[in-house]
Amino acid sequence: MKQSLYTTAPQPECALLIGIASADDQTASPAMAELARLAQTAGCDVFATLVQPRQKPDPKTFLGKGKIAEAAQLVTANELDLIIADDELTPGQIAAIEAAAASARSIGSNRRHPRSKTPAKRRARRQSRRLYQRRQEHPV
């Protein structure tokens, strides 16, 4: 009888990358490609990238409400672990993005709030912050 083996190796976390680009800005693509490489270096699998053309970030949600709703649906439908932004987020923007993802999860399923206190989630948040800090220290 053949037995199935369970792997104890940690599974890579899946991430959604979000960013903004002005209409006349041609640097969004290289910046998002660099962010994807940084995420992969930290051990994340990049699922998708959402870039919204805007002159400046929305003060409440970073991206517009519609794009945040789209991101929340992607996170819920594909059970993604992280959303990584290409810019520094304010606490209010983080809360708005988390609320959008939580409401999309509550509509789509009966799972708990995505911000759990497990060591893996805390480690992922730390890695995300480090990625951003490295990018700020060493711009392209």
Side-chain angles (χ1 to χ4, degrees):
M1 181 161 131
K2 189 174 184 180
Q3 292 182 331
S4 63
L5 301 176
Y6 294 98
T7 61
T8 57
Q11 295 296 319
E13 294 177 315
C14 232
L16 171 67
L17 306 181
I18 60 173
I20 61 169
S22 62
D24 58 342
D25 187 12
Q26 300 299 321
T27 61
S29 182
M32 293 305 285
E34 179 189 1
L35 184 63
R37 287 190 303 272
L38 287 170
Q40 290 168 346
T41 301
C44 294
D45 287 337
V46 176
F47 177 78
T49 301
L50 289 178
V51 178
Q52 184 174 32
R54 296 181 69 92
Q55 291 300 320
K56 60 183 180 177
D58 186 292
K60 290 184 180 179
T61 58
F62 182 64
L63 301 176
K65 285 173 38 177
K67 194 61 85 168
I68 288 296
E70 181 183 341
Q73 288 175 348
L74 273 172
V75 168
T76 302
N78 300 293
E79 298 181 1
L80 304 180
D81 302 309
L82 298 169
I83 297 176
I84 303 174
D86 189 33
D87 201 357
E88 189 170 349
L89 300 177
T90 66
Q93 291 169 333
I94 293 170
I97 293 170
E98 286 178 346
S103 67
R105 285 184 191 268
S106 66
I107 292 169
S109 68
N110 291 327
R111 293 203 281 156
R112 292 180 52 216
H113 190 275
R115 184 156 178 131
S116 67
K117 303 273 184 184
T118 64
K121 295 289 182 182
R122 284 193 302 262
R123 186 171 45 255
R125 285 192 295 275
R126 277 195 309 269
Q127 287 175 340
S128 175
R129 282 189 295 253
R130 282 188 211 127
L131 283 173
Y132 175 75
Q133 289 169 350
R134 283 186 211 139
R135 183 158 188 263
Q136 293 301 315
E137 292 169 1
H138 305 287
V140 175

